Amino acid sequence: MRLSHRTLTLVVLCGAIATMTAAAEDKPVVGLVPKASKAIKMDGKLEGWDGAFVTPVHVGHPDFANRGGQFLFLWDEQNLYIGLRCLDQHPFHNGNQIWDGDAVEFYLDTRRGEELGAAKFGPGTLHMFYTPFTKSDVEPRLQVRDLPAFKDFKLQGAAVAGEKTAWGFTAIFKLPWSNFPEFKAKADEVIGIDCELCSSDGGPRVDRTFVYSSPAAVSSPSAFGRVKLVDKIEPDALKPLGRALLPLSLTKSTNYEWLYGTACLSPTIEKSVDKIEGKIVDGDGKVHKTSKGTTKSLDGDFTLWTGSWEMFDLPPGTYTLELVATDKSGAVITSRSEKLLHGNPPTTK
């Protein structure tokens, strides 16, 4: 059977649309949002946030004492709540552009079905900014991004509260679900989300980091992480979420070949973790190096794990670092893996 040019074009277009739809539907859940067990106080203090899903950020930053952060997630039938705990020696925001200082860029996609994760911003999505500060004072501000997609959007009921601490600051952001009338908050619903921590040193923004994605989120909701609303966190649900619960930074020495790793334990799992172990594994699954590492606690409820692996005696090639957190019984709480290119493999002609 011979197909016309028009028919062939339609077949190609339908195939492409089906592929994109399948890809959107198959995008994995990378985080959770538990239901709040008590009323959230908008005082900025993060008290009563037990059971929150907590995602550390800026792990491995050379100035972690002035950059490290944790985003906390909760929900109820009325609101989505985002907490922030931030190490910052000089909290400050002096600009009119709210993203340009110590602040948060917030991203949300509540669209349903095939529209969730669609490339363009539109009804049911949000990109906005908030900060607890005006200069060095706790005077919160918030603002929706100036995009044509949000021209007729009127943000209602959202609020920010903050408090300075000896090691930095804490903040709470409340966003009513009523701003998204096509969405009804209930357990097992999946939404797109990201939080971007913006940092300054007394002036304009000099640093930023994301919980789930990258600056690609600025351009498209398709980059947002998928998270699930749950009544409470079940241990088994945490196993595939190591990227959020054990954020990892790797540093490679190129003169004498060592690999150094730093991970931050999420408070969501910290009390359950008995051991963290990092293994260097080759393509056949053989373990070549193991590090049990050490842990260190910092002010603000941050716990860092550091490990190292001497690599000089391994042949060049591709390896995998497998990082696993286990409880006292040896059961896996969560894990993650990262591919490593070691040395300079010989080139083939």
Side-chain angles (χ1 to χ4, degrees), residues 46-301:
L46 291 180
E47 296 175 353
W49 281 66
D50 296 341
F53 189 79
V54 186
T55 58
V57 292
H58 260 323
V59 178
H61 194 287
D63 191 14
F64 190 76
N66 198 43
R67 289 291 187 273
Q70 296 174 353
F71 282 101
L72 299 82
F73 299 86
L74 289 172
W75 71 281
D76 61 25
E77 284 81 359
Q78 288 74 44
N79 302 296
L80 174 66
Y81 303 96
I82 308 295
L84 173 61
R85 183 181 291 119
C86 194
L87 300 177
D88 193 334
Q89 297 167 13
H90 304 289
F92 189 83
H93 195 301
N94 195 37
N96 293 322
Q97 301 291 339
I98 295 183
W99 53 267
D100 196 17
D102 288 331
V104 173
E105 291 200 38
F106 176 73
Y107 306 81
L108 184 67
D109 188 352
T110 66
R111 293 174 294 188
R112 302 292 82 204
E114 296 176 1
E115 287 299 308
L116 177 62
K120 294 184 178 181
F121 287 96
T125 68
L126 180 62
H127 182 193
M128 63 171 292
F129 324 105
Y130 64 87
T131 176
F133 303 108
T134 300
K135 295 187 177 179
S136 59
D137 298 323
V138 179
E139 295 180 6
R141 294 174 287 158
L142 50 79
Q143 176 186 333
V144 176
R145 183 184 178 190
D146 185 14
L147 282 181
F150 304 136
K151 180 180 178 181
D152 298 322
F153 178 76
K154 305 297 182 184
L155 182 65
Q156 297 181 353
V160 181
E163 178 161 296
K164 287 186 179 181
T165 68
W167 37 263
F169 67 90
T170 55
I172 298 173
F173 171 57
K174 178 183 76 171
L175 178 63
W177 297 115
S178 57
N179 285 285
F180 313 97
E182 299 301 316
F183 178 77
K184 181 176 176 59
K186 60 181 186 292
D188 295 327
E189 290 290 348
V190 175
I191 58 177
I193 205 168
D194 213 334
C195 294
E196 174 188 349
L197 178 59
C198 305
S199 303
S200 72
D201 291 319
R205 181 172 74 181
V206 294
D207 228 333
R208 61 177 174 170
T209 187
F210 293 75
V211 172
Y212 292 118
S213 61
S214 69
V218 177
S219 301
S220 174
S222 62
F224 300 175
R226 295 284 175 85
V227 301
K228 181 186 287 188
L229 306 187
V230 295
D231 285 323
K232 64 178 182 177
I233 295 176
E234 299 293 347
D236 284 347
L238 299 176
K239 289 182 179 180
L241 306 181
R243 184 181 181 278
L245 298 170
L246 278 177
L248 173 68
S249 174
L250 297 175
T251 303
K252 180 181 177 183
S253 171
T254 56
N255 284 7
Y256 175 47
E257 295 192 75
W258 280 80
L259 180 70
Y260 301 92
T262 301
C264 188
L265 279 71
S266 165
T268 299
I269 63 171
E270 182 181 358
K271 292 181 180 179
S272 302
V273 173
D274 180 62
K275 182 176 67 175
I276 298 178
E277 192 170 66
K279 298 179 180 180
I280 305 294
V281 181
D282 65 19
D284 295 323
K286 180 181 178 181
V287 176
H288 289 266
K289 304 284 181 176
T290 300
S291 176
K292 294 183 179 180
T294 59
T295 57
K296 177 176 66 174
S297 296
L298 305 179
D299 290 341
D301 198 20

